[in-house]
Amino acid sequence: MAAQVIEQVLAKSRYLDTALTDAQARLPRGQAHEAALIQEMAYGTLRWFHQLEAIARQFLARPLKPKDQDIHALLLLGLYQLRHMRTATHAAVTETVEAAEALKKPWAKNLLNACLRSYLREPERADAVAADDVSVKYSHPVWLVQKIRQHYPENWEAILSANNERPPMALRVNLQKNTRAQYLTRLAAAGLMAHPTEIADSAIVLDVPVTVTDLPGFAQGEVSVQDVAAQLAAILLEAQAGERVLDACAAPGGKTGHILERTPGLAELVALDQDPDRVALIDQNLVRLGLTAHTVTADAGAPVDWWDGRTFDRILLDAPCSATGVIRRHPDIKVRRKPDDLNKLIETQARLLDRLWPLLKPGGKLLYVTCSILPAENENQMQAFVVRHPDATVAELPLTAGIPRIIGRQILPGEQGMDGFYYACIHKN
């Protein structure tokens, strides 16, 4: 099942979390351990894909055919177990080989067995490949290594290393229902160790990740799962009671819920996304939190289709981006994202900014957010926007985290345990 998940990401460019959810749903009830194992193997293999791929080439006599991507995925999966998991060597080899039978390709058993046993006999060949190529060493595509190295010459290796770490599980306490100190006490009573962070007043980081069903009060909306850097959006937006707020590109609704938790007296919050399935996720989150917003399924860049003509006091634009700041949470980004994608994303970001700007009241604030670390999507985008719009003024962010840029601040992956995020605030004259 793990191999099939990996194949869908590699061959069909499916999102890892979607393919994984579909696979886990096919497991019989009571198979939580197997679900966790499938997740670990799929995430881990994709996290180390570029390294495992380079190693596999050392031991394959010739590349596998495109129709045998499932067998290729199985080989990478076997190598991942041998290099990065505590699976017993004989079990990793035997189960990987036998899985070819389950994939109805028994001819591949000898090939898999030969490759994996060759690796075990000659691990130094694999280590030499990783030592000679930084793309292989850090398991990133060459184009992305080059960009990160270009833009962050002093800490590019730290960024690449952070991208390969397992992310911490951060929580956002609903301060309408608990204080942070009270919720920390409840976690301790449940045997869950955690600590607060000073970066966001609602944020808690668990020492060990758990399933959401283990979190006290989760079903009742007393707490949500959200990275600390992402929690800064609602804080920096600084919405006030009585204001009308637009959360553009709002799905799955984490920032929407946080804005409403922080400012219960809003006149209205419009939460917009163009994907109906993802808008349904916003609604589900709001129901769990016991909050209300006006959810709309539409393209934020086409206001003529959804805007009622009433301007907004605040606009949060969490723009579509390369997601290069959240690779540690979504390792499939390293294989799905292509360099040609950037130009399309930059065009989309500029279109959204230009189309949403007229919807903001004079004196209002637009907060631009991405989970990218690439300047072309961030400060360069903001510099170009200010040139196009003389009525736009850059505002200082009340934020000490991150690196100050020409406009805005850039949080890098792993900084104080956070994901990589960019924030910039623009006022309308």
Side-chain angles (χ1 to χ4, degrees):
M1 291 181 80
Q4 289 171 332
V5 168
I6 295 163
E7 178 202 11
Q8 289 176 48
V9 174
L10 297 179
K12 301 176 184 176
S13 200
R14 283 197 78 190
Y15 287 100
L16 171 57
D17 53 0
T18 306
L20 187 62
T21 299
D22 288 350
Q24 291 171 329
R26 299 198 303 272
L27 285 169
R29 281 191 166 189
Q31 304 260 338
H33 172 73
E34 285 78 359
L37 183 59
I38 292 169
Q39 178 170 319
E40 164 61 25
M41 291 193 293
Y43 266 78
T45 300
L46 289 167
R47 183 175 289 121
W48 292 102
F49 169 79
H50 293 85
Q51 185 178 109
L52 299 172
E53 177 84 343
I55 292 169
R57 284 197 296 268
Q58 298 295 307
F59 299 103
L60 274 172
R62 56 182 177 273
L64 287 160
K65 296 176 182 177
K67 66 177 182 177
D68 296 318
Q69 281 290 304
D70 51 353
I71 298 301
H72 187 67
L74 200 54
L75 174 58
L76 300 182
L77 190 56
L79 289 169
Y80 174 70
Q81 291 177 84
L82 294 174
R83 286 182 71 81
H84 297 282
M85 291 181 68
R86 294 190 298 271
T87 310
T89 299
H90 70 277
V93 174
T94 301
E95 294 298 328
T96 302
V97 170
E98 290 303 315
E101 190 87 49
L103 292 172
K104 298 180 180 175
K105 294 186 177 179
W107 60 263
K109 293 169 71 173
N110 288 339
L111 179 146
L112 290 167
N113 186 61
C115 286
L116 295 176
R117 294 197 180 281
S118 294
Y119 166 78
L120 289 170
R121 284 194 303 270
E122 302 178 82
E124 63 279 357
R125 283 176 64 186
D127 295 338
V129 173
D132 292 342
D133 187 329
V134 294
S135 172
V136 176
K137 177 182 178 180
Y138 292 108
S139 197
H140 280 63
V142 172
W143 72 268
L144 186 55
V145 172
Q146 291 172 342
K147 283 192 176 294
I148 294 174
R149 197 169 187 172
Q150 172 192 348
H151 297 305
Y152 303 99
E154 295 181 359
N155 46 8
W156 64 275
E157 288 182 287
I159 294 170
L160 297 178
S161 294
N163 285 347
N164 290 328
E165 296 293 327
R166 289 177 173 80
M169 185 173 182
L171 308 179
R172 184 188 79 235
V173 178
N174 185 343
L175 299 179
Q176 287 189 37
K177 299 186 176 184
N178 308 266
T179 66
R180 183 163 63 174
Q182 287 171 339
Y183 195 75
L184 280 165
T185 301
R186 293 180 65 190
L187 285 173
L192 302 176
M193 296 299 102
H195 59 275
T197 171
E198 296 309 312
I199 297 167
D201 58 3
S202 52
I204 287 173
V205 180
L206 290 172
D207 291 359
V208 178
V210 297
T211 59
V212 293
T213 53
D214 292 333
L215 296 173
F218 179 83
Q220 293 74 38
E222 297 178 36
V223 69
S224 298
V225 177
Q226 188 177 39
D227 185 74
V228 176
Q231 294 185 40
L232 292 171
I235 295 170
L236 295 174
L237 189 66
E238 297 181 318
Q240 305 296 313
E243 290 184 338
R244 189 168 192 245
V245 175
L246 171 64
D247 184 359
C249 311
K255 297 178 181 70
T256 304
H258 195 195
I259 294 167
L260 292 166
E261 288 171 9
R262 293 187 69 85
T263 318
L266 288 177
E268 184 182 30
L269 192 152
V270 177
L272 183 75
D273 204 276
Q274 63 180 349
D275 185 332
D277 292 336
R278 287 173 60 77
V279 171
L281 294 177
I282 303 175
D283 290 327
Q284 290 171 21
N285 270 315
L286 292 174
V287 168
R288 182 180 64 83
L289 294 168
L291 299 169
T292 303
H294 179 201
T295 54
V296 178
T297 303
D299 177 4
V304 66
D305 295 334
W306 58 268
W307 184 43
D308 62 7
R310 294 184 294 146
T311 51
F312 295 93
D313 300 280
R314 298 279 192 277
I315 295 178
L316 170 62
L317 174 55
D318 187 359
C321 69
S322 63
T324 45
V326 293
I327 286 173
R328 61 184 188 166
R329 293 192 189 278
H330 305 284
D332 51 317
I333 290 167
K334 290 195 276 189
V335 297
R336 289 192 308 101
R337 184 68 67 212
K338 308 300 179 189
D340 292 345
D341 296 342
L342 282 178
N343 288 335
K344 296 175 186 175
L345 288 165
I346 291 165
E347 289 174 7
T348 297
Q349 293 154 6
R351 178 176 67 89
L352 290 169
L353 283 163
D354 290 342
R355 298 286 176 82
L356 292 174
W357 187 245
L359 280 57
L360 186 66
K361 286 182 181 177
K365 175 195 285 189
L366 183 147
L367 185 68
Y368 178 76
V369 186
T370 75
C371 55
S372 168
I373 61 170
L374 302 181
E377 300 178 273
N378 296 338
E379 63 258 35
N380 296 359
Q381 187 72 265
M382 286 290 93
Q383 285 179 281
F385 175 79
V386 171
V387 169
R388 293 197 303 272
H389 298 275
D391 58 343
T393 300
V394 178
E396 288 296 320
L397 290 169
L399 183 63
T400 56
I403 302 170
R405 310 306 289 179
I406 295 171
I407 297 177
R409 294 187 78 90
Q410 179 71 63
I411 299 169
L412 296 177
E415 179 185 340
Q416 298 184 64
M418 293 185 286
D419 289 343
F421 268 77
Y422 173 80
Y423 284 99
C425 182
I426 307 294
H427 279 160
K428 192 172 206 177
N429 301 338

